[in-house]
Amino acid sequence: MELSLIGDYIEYRTLSTINDRAGSTVIGVVTQEAGRRAEYAAATRQAILLAARALFVERGYFDTRVQDIARAARVAAPTVYAAVGGKSGVLRTLIEDGVRAAEAGGIYERIAAQTDPGALLRMLVDGTRSEFELWSPIMRQAIAAAPQDAGIRETVGAAHDSLRRGLRATAARLAELGALRAEVTVDEAADVLWYFLGNASYFTLTDDCHWPLDRSADWLHRSLTAALLGT
């Protein structure tokens, strides 16, 4: 009887071990499959965004169709809708991704770390210049489409709000350093920074006045220095 119990116990443990290993194998396969699906979905989304960005810049937002994006990304048109919500969803996603990337770059930490007012303004101008060079082709399309699409209009507003938060942080830091002209408040300094460094100023200088971007940035830096620091 004792041997029988021992034998039954050994058999039970053996079967349990086999079942546990089989379960682990199944879980591992399911996890790997889920990982592959996630990687494929991310790659598909990125292909759609890259294709759409190139087409928007080349043809314009209104002259680009979902079918064109799908063909360039080598996916079916319904996939564009499923991945990013159609043409307006693609444009919104492009802008939102750009805003998230900019905010994740440690800009607030860099602002807080600056102890030289002139260097802080230079850093800010250089940063907005780089962002404008990178994103202005897409922002042109978004601004053109915004009057006809509430979602895009909201996204453009969110992008502007993000920039204005960074500009206000800069104004506050200049005040902490005692660098602002005596008559300039933090609120006014933030407004002045927005006036000079918003997209509208860059578009005016580069599109309407046909200034090179480097010349535009240098002039903006000099003008901001005089307006805010008085030097």
Side-chain angles (χ1 to χ4, degrees), residues 35-86:
R36 281 194 292 268
R37 284 199 300 269
E39 289 175 1
Y40 176 76
T44 299
R45 179 182 183 275
Q46 186 65 12
I48 291 169
L49 293 176
L50 289 174
R53 180 187 177 111
L55 288 169
F56 288 160
V57 172
E58 178 187 350
R59 303 180 184 180
Y61 175 79
F62 294 108
D63 290 332
T64 299
R65 303 174 304 163
V66 170
Q67 292 87 338
D68 300 326
I69 298 171
R71 188 179 302 111
R74 301 176 66 184
V75 299
T79 302
V80 177
Y81 289 98
V84 283

